[in-house]
Amino acid sequence: MAIEQFRIDDRLVHGQVVIGWGQPLGLTHLVIVDDAMVENAWEADLYRMATPPGMTLDVESVASFAAHPQPLDRHLGAGMVLTTNVDTMRRLVEAVPGIRTVTIGGLHHQPGRAPSLPYVFLSTEDIANLGALAASGVAVIAQDLPGSTPVPLGDLVAAGGV
Amino acid sequence: MSDAPAARAVVAGHGSFADGIVSAVGHISGRSGALRAVTNEGCDAAGIEAAIGRALDELGAHVVFTDLPAGSCTMAARRLARARGGVTVVVGASAAAVLDFVMGEAGANADAVRAAGRGRESLTVFEATGPARGD
């Protein structure tokens, strides 16, 4: 089964991911794509220890993920890729053909970001990167949990006031 | 002699989890000043870590109770403990565990270890003995 979930979430592996999405989708593997974490074994182990039984976690850079012979078809079960920011997801989409949908699961308040939803705050740079993703044919939505209504990028930007 | 409780801790978790634990333990023990609640709502990872750090400093505490092993508060508390040193993190908090902790006088780390054991022991299932009446 291919990796079909691509989530931008500044908390990466947490309850919404392993329980909220993990159980209904039957996720069996997570991949954090983060160039800095690849060099930080302690951070990677922190997330591995938080991964529940029955689910595996890989930590990769954009380059190593893209270099895999079949980057989206490497596991037998359902998978999710996580990045902590929009820029990394944009670089991943540019490097790996076949990513059709990107979901913003959580981008919380930081200086320079304006609120679009209670769990989505966007900067002008974020909006530019998300716009580039959409222009390349990728569907961009915000959805924190499976039961939430997906919010398309246009509505996020309209609500953002950046 | 100070009226300040000896055992103090920050409770951090999803939504209003920490508020509920702090409220319950305060009502039972009378030691509401021993605890400070932190929620992850609206915060990114760095924001949660900062909030837990502020709460520890304000309380003069060295122990953090969190709700879930895979929760963002646990991640933040563990990063903070690593950065600061001298901070104990207890994961899987319950009212029973936190109540045991605030009544302790053995020192932060020893109280935290004992409280975690108390929390494990308190988790009990009384299984249904038959079908529900009216079925």
Side-chain angles (χ1 to χ4, degrees):
Chain A
M1 186 180 291
I3 296 174
E4 294 179 345
Q5 302 294 321
F6 297 85
R7 178 178 171 102
I8 303 167
D9 189 329
D10 53 26
R11 296 178 184 171
L12 292 172
V13 179
H14 63 110
Q16 286 186 350
V17 170
V18 300
I19 305 295
W21 289 92
Q23 292 192 356
L25 295 181
L27 295 178
T28 59
H29 62 280
L30 305 174
V31 185
I32 293 175
V33 176
D34 189 303
D35 291 349
M37 197 182 298
V38 168
E39 307 296 328
N40 187 336
W42 190 88
E43 275 288 318
D45 284 345
L46 180 65
Y47 285 103
R48 283 198 184 93
M49 281 187 272
T51 305
M55 198 179 279
T56 63
L57 174 70
D58 296 324
V59 177
E60 299 198 30
S61 65
V62 171
S64 68
F65 188 95
H68 195 280
Q70 291 181 298
L72 304 184
D73 279 307
R74 63 178 79 187
H75 293 280
L76 293 177
M80 176 184 280
V81 167
L82 297 148
T83 71
T84 192
N85 57 51
V86 180
D87 176 65
T88 303
M89 186 61 81
R90 179 185 174 178
R91 290 188 293 113
L92 187 69
V93 168
E94 290 170 349
V96 179
I99 298 174
R100 295 190 298 269
T101 301
V102 165
T103 302
I104 305 169
L107 283 174
H108 295 88
H109 179 263
Q110 284 184 1
R113 282 183 181 164
S116 292
L117 294 172
Y119 61 92
V120 178
F121 290 66
L122 299 173
S123 67
T124 51
E125 184 183 356
D126 291 331
I127 291 173
N129 279 323
L130 292 168
L133 282 175
S136 70
V138 173
V140 177
I141 58 170
Q143 188 177 17
D144 56 350
L145 288 164
S148 307
T149 303
V151 180
L153 177 59
D155 291 354
L156 288 177
V157 174
V162 175
Chain B
M1 185 176 166
S2 169
D3 290 335
R8 287 160 287 172
V10 171
V11 183
H14 293 76
S16 300
F17 171 85
D19 283 330
I21 293 279
V22 169
S23 171
V25 172
H27 275 87
I28 297 164
S29 69
R31 296 187 173 186
S32 55
L35 300 170
R36 190 69 51 90
V38 170
T39 178
N40 66 356
E41 249 178 54
C43 296
D44 66 2
I48 300 166
E49 187 176 335
I52 293 173
R54 279 194 302 275
L56 285 172
D57 293 340
E58 289 166 6
L59 202 57
H62 301 280
V63 174
V64 184
F65 285 86
T66 65
D67 52 359
L68 292 171
S72 51
C73 289
T74 301
M75 303 294 198
R78 292 200 58 211
R79 283 195 192 95
L80 190 73
R82 183 177 188 240
R84 288 190 174 194
V87 174
T88 300
V89 180
V90 182
V91 182
S94 64
V98 178
L99 178 62
D100 185 90
F101 175 82
V102 299
M103 301 309 289
E105 295 178 347
N109 200 67
D111 285 336
V113 171
R114 189 201 58 252
R118 180 66 175 165
R120 280 190 292 270
E121 293 164 6
S122 299
L123 195 59
T124 306
V125 178
F126 298 101
E127 293 188 71
T129 55
R133 290 181 183 83
D135 282 358

